[in-house]
Amino acid sequence: MQRTVAIIGMSRSGTTWISKVVDSSPDVFYLHEPDYVVPVNCVPLVTSVEDAEVWGGYFADYISGFRGFCSARSVLKKPMFPKKYLQGVSSRLGFAWFTARLRKDQVVARLMGGTPTRSWPDSVERAKVIAWKSVELTGNLGVLLRALPEQQVLHVIRHPCGFVDSLIRGENKGLLETKVPVTEDAGLFDFATRTGVARKLGIRTCDWPKLSKVERMAYFWLCMNEQAAEDAEGMSNCMRVYFDEFCMKPIELSKKIFDFFGLPFTQQTENFLSTSSVVSKWSNYFSVSRQSEQVPGSWVGRLEADDAKTIIKIATSMPRMAALLERKF
């Protein structure tokens, strides 16, 4: 029976690399950020577990419609891997025709606008697992876990200094797909202030103009991740992964992730981890290839020392994230 599993975390937190590690399984069909292509209807960026019955049905309906959410963005994220469910000439030819049509759609969309979607071919129905990734749903983690208890979810968290540094670098280079820079988006901050964590901290939307960019992003990181961690406590269908630790122990933690998702760890995944853990000449800001052991401290020297201290002070002001950042690995 086909299952769905999810990889959820904030943007610039390592979710793409970890998602492609999962995609390297021959048994997985992967959808990259389908909620960017087809948004989840009606659900706000932050929801309370107390309202799980209200929002849960929307998530269930959304995931049941995954077959029709295929686009070049959601399906053709490189690298691509050989799959067991594409054995046989007809299956491979059918999938090749499907991907060719997605590429044509992509060209047309660049000229005409819009994001056309297609349904996946019948061969994908033979995939054991549909894996999907989102950087929009951290504020909905608790509701998602309760709405779909049979679905396993990986919650990915990156060190707050790495998160803030990466966002600011992306903004400065004009690389992020946002009309308004995240560090200037008061609407996002407003959603974060709706969490129970924000209420405990006494953070309100009216505080926005008084805060520096790094303070805004540090509070945003804390409110979203601390609330998600609190909402996930006691939920057996959630596993938390600290991206900085994953960078230091990619094979060890990948095996734990695969075990959590009920997938065999194969040589294909081990090979991908080997090649993606070093920088290639094609590596860029969005690349899955990284000198992984250097990632955890890559922000040192790029962030001002006082900014780093401010971020860490804010990030460790709540118990769950304080405990996470104190971990030794």
Side-chain angles (χ1 to χ4, degrees):
M1 183 177 177
Q2 196 171 73
R3 300 179 290 114
T4 63
V5 302
I7 300 94
I8 291 176
M10 299 178 71
S11 62
R12 310 309 306 160
S13 293
T15 54
T16 296
W17 184 28
I18 291 176
S19 295
K20 293 308 290 186
V21 170
V22 174
D23 182 29
S24 69
S25 166
D27 297 315
V28 166
F29 178 73
Y30 172 60
L31 286 171
H32 181 77
E33 300 177 0
D35 50 335
Y36 183 92
V37 178
V38 181
V40 184
N41 287 329
C42 304
V43 181
L45 287 177
V46 172
T47 53
S48 169
V49 293
E50 296 175 357
D51 300 321
E53 289 188 11
V54 176
W55 307 116
Y58 293 103
F59 279 118
D61 290 344
Y62 183 77
I63 291 169
S64 69
F66 270 170
R67 178 167 187 161
F69 294 176
C70 297
S71 69
R73 179 189 175 95
S74 62
V75 173
L76 302 182
K77 181 69 176 177
K78 294 181 179 179
M80 306 286 281
F81 302 96
K83 302 294 182 179
K84 287 182 180 178
Y85 52 86
L86 296 181
Q87 291 178 349
V89 174
S90 61
S91 291
R92 289 196 294 271
L93 287 176
F95 196 81
W97 173 241
F98 164 67
T99 57
R101 295 172 77 190
L102 292 181
R103 290 188 179 94
K104 184 196 76 172
D105 291 344
Q106 188 176 38
V107 173
V108 172
R110 286 173 180 168
L111 296 173
M112 307 295 291
T115 308
T117 58
R118 294 185 181 273
S119 295
W120 64 48
D122 289 341
S123 57
V124 174
E125 297 294 330
R126 297 196 292 272
K128 291 183 179 179
V129 171
I130 306 297
W132 61 287
K133 172 219 168 179
S134 173
V135 295
E136 303 287 340
L137 299 180
T138 301
N140 301 115
L141 182 65
V143 170
L144 188 63
L145 292 171
R146 288 159 177 80
L148 297 158
E150 72 285 355
Q151 178 184 249
Q152 291 143 313
V153 180
L154 204 66
H155 177 204
V156 181
I157 303 176
R158 184 180 186 177
H159 192 286
C161 289
F163 165 75
V164 175
D165 170 61
S166 186
L167 274 183
I168 291 177
R169 284 190 299 115
E171 284 187 357
N172 291 341
K173 294 178 180 180
L175 296 173
L176 301 181
E177 299 175 283
T178 55
K179 293 180 180 178
V180 177
V182 176
T183 57
E184 301 296 334
D185 192 340
L188 280 178
F189 189 78
D190 178 65
F191 273 111
T193 64
R194 300 181 193 185
T195 62
V197 169
R199 289 192 292 273
K200 293 173 187 175
L201 290 168
I203 299 299
R204 301 168 299 168
T205 305
C206 63
D207 296 319
W208 170 264
K210 310 169 194 174
L211 301 174
S212 68
K213 284 186 178 182
V214 295
E215 287 174 322
R216 292 169 181 175
M217 291 300 96
Y219 277 119
F220 183 59
W221 179 94
L222 176 62
C223 289
M224 302 299 279
N225 282 314
E226 179 79 14
Q227 190 65 60
E230 178 181 321
D231 291 345
E233 279 193 357
M235 302 298 294
S236 61
N237 56 334
C238 185
M239 176 181 175
R240 187 182 310 143
V241 173
Y242 186 25
F243 179 62
D244 298 66
E245 183 177 9
F246 184 89
C247 289
M248 302 303 293
K249 305 174 182 177
I251 291 179
E252 178 183 334
L253 290 187
S254 291
K255 288 180 177 180
K256 291 182 179 179
I257 291 168
F258 274 55
D259 184 59
F260 175 65
F261 283 159
L263 291 166
F265 185 84
T266 67
Q267 188 63 47
Q268 181 164 283
T269 295
E270 189 161 350
N271 292 344
F272 173 62
L273 284 167
S274 177
T275 58
S276 62
S277 297
V278 295
V279 175
S280 74
K281 63 181 178 180
W282 296 284
S283 296
N284 57 42
Y285 182 74
F286 296 106
S287 175
V288 297
S289 296
R290 291 286 185 271
Q291 194 75 33
S292 61
E293 72 274 7
Q294 296 177 9
V295 169
S298 60
W299 49 269
V300 177
R302 288 202 295 248
L303 281 176
E304 295 289 339
D306 287 344
D307 286 342
K309 289 178 182 178
T310 296
I311 293 167
I312 292 172
K313 181 179 179 181
I314 291 171
T316 55
S317 62
M318 295 298 284
R320 293 168 186 82
M321 293 303 100
L324 181 71
L325 297 183
E326 289 171 359
R327 289 183 60 179
K328 305 297 182 183
F329 52 86

Short mmCIF file of all heavy atoms in Angstrom, two decimals, residues 59 163 177 190-191 267 281 289 295 297:
data_model
loop_
_atom_site.label_atom_id
_atom_site.label_comp_id
_atom_site.label_asym_id
_atom_site.label_seq_id
_atom_site.Cartn_x
_atom_site.Cartn_y
_atom_site.Cartn_z
N PHE A 59 -5.95 19.55 5.04
CA PHE A 59 -4.69 18.87 4.77
C PHE A 59 -4.93 17.47 4.18
O PHE A 59 -4.23 17.06 3.26
CB PHE A 59 -3.86 18.75 6.05
CG PHE A 59 -3.11 20.01 6.39
CD1 PHE A 59 -3.37 20.69 7.56
CD2 PHE A 59 -2.15 20.50 5.53
CE1 PHE A 59 -2.69 21.85 7.88
CE2 PHE A 59 -1.45 21.67 5.84
CZ PHE A 59 -1.72 22.35 7.02
N PHE A 163 20.74 29.82 9.68
CA PHE A 163 19.48 30.21 9.03
C PHE A 163 19.49 31.70 8.68
O PHE A 163 19.22 32.09 7.54
CB PHE A 163 18.32 29.86 9.96
CG PHE A 163 17.01 30.50 9.61
CD1 PHE A 163 16.26 30.05 8.54
CD2 PHE A 163 16.52 31.56 10.36
CE1 PHE A 163 15.04 30.63 8.22
CE2 PHE A 163 15.30 32.15 10.05
CZ PHE A 163 14.57 31.70 8.97
N GLU A 177 13.04 33.90 -3.95
CA GLU A 177 11.82 34.10 -4.74
C GLU A 177 10.74 34.78 -3.90
O GLU A 177 9.69 34.20 -3.64
CB GLU A 177 11.32 32.76 -5.28
CG GLU A 177 12.31 32.06 -6.18
CD GLU A 177 11.81 30.68 -6.60
OE1 GLU A 177 11.91 29.76 -5.77
OE2 GLU A 177 11.33 30.54 -7.72
N ASP A 190 4.01 38.72 11.72
CA ASP A 190 2.69 38.74 12.35
C ASP A 190 2.17 37.32 12.57
O ASP A 190 1.59 37.02 13.61
CB ASP A 190 1.71 39.53 11.48
CG ASP A 190 0.30 39.54 12.06
OD1 ASP A 190 0.11 40.11 13.15
OD2 ASP A 190 -0.60 38.96 11.43
N PHE A 191 2.38 36.44 11.58
CA PHE A 191 1.97 35.05 11.77
C PHE A 191 2.73 34.41 12.93
O PHE A 191 2.15 33.68 13.74
CB PHE A 191 2.21 34.24 10.49
CG PHE A 191 1.07 34.29 9.52
CD1 PHE A 191 1.18 34.96 8.31
CD2 PHE A 191 -0.14 33.68 9.82
CE1 PHE A 191 0.13 35.01 7.42
CE2 PHE A 191 -1.20 33.72 8.93
CZ PHE A 191 -1.07 34.39 7.72
N GLN A 267 22.72 1.12 -1.44
CA GLN A 267 23.98 1.65 -1.93
C GLN A 267 23.77 2.92 -2.73
O GLN A 267 24.61 3.83 -2.74
CB GLN A 267 24.70 0.60 -2.79
CG GLN A 267 26.11 0.98 -3.19
CD GLN A 267 27.04 1.11 -1.99
OE1 GLN A 267 27.06 0.26 -1.11
NE2 GLN A 267 27.81 2.20 -1.94
N LYS A 281 31.92 21.74 -9.04
CA LYS A 281 32.03 23.00 -9.79
C LYS A 281 30.66 23.56 -10.15
O LYS A 281 30.55 24.71 -10.56
CB LYS A 281 32.87 22.78 -11.04
CG LYS A 281 32.28 21.79 -12.05
CD LYS A 281 33.22 21.65 -13.24
CE LYS A 281 32.68 20.64 -14.25
NZ LYS A 281 33.59 20.50 -15.42
N SER A 289 24.80 20.05 -3.22
CA SER A 289 26.19 19.67 -2.98
C SER A 289 26.84 20.68 -2.03
O SER A 289 26.85 21.87 -2.29
CB SER A 289 26.97 19.64 -4.30
OG SER A 289 26.46 18.63 -5.15
N VAL A 295 29.55 23.12 6.97
CA VAL A 295 28.29 23.86 7.02
C VAL A 295 27.96 24.36 8.43
O VAL A 295 27.56 25.52 8.60
CB VAL A 295 27.13 23.02 6.45
CG1 VAL A 295 25.78 23.67 6.74
CG2 VAL A 295 27.30 22.85 4.95
N GLY A 297 29.50 25.55 10.95
CA GLY A 297 30.12 26.79 11.40
C GLY A 297 30.36 27.80 10.29
O GLY A 297 31.14 28.74 10.47
#
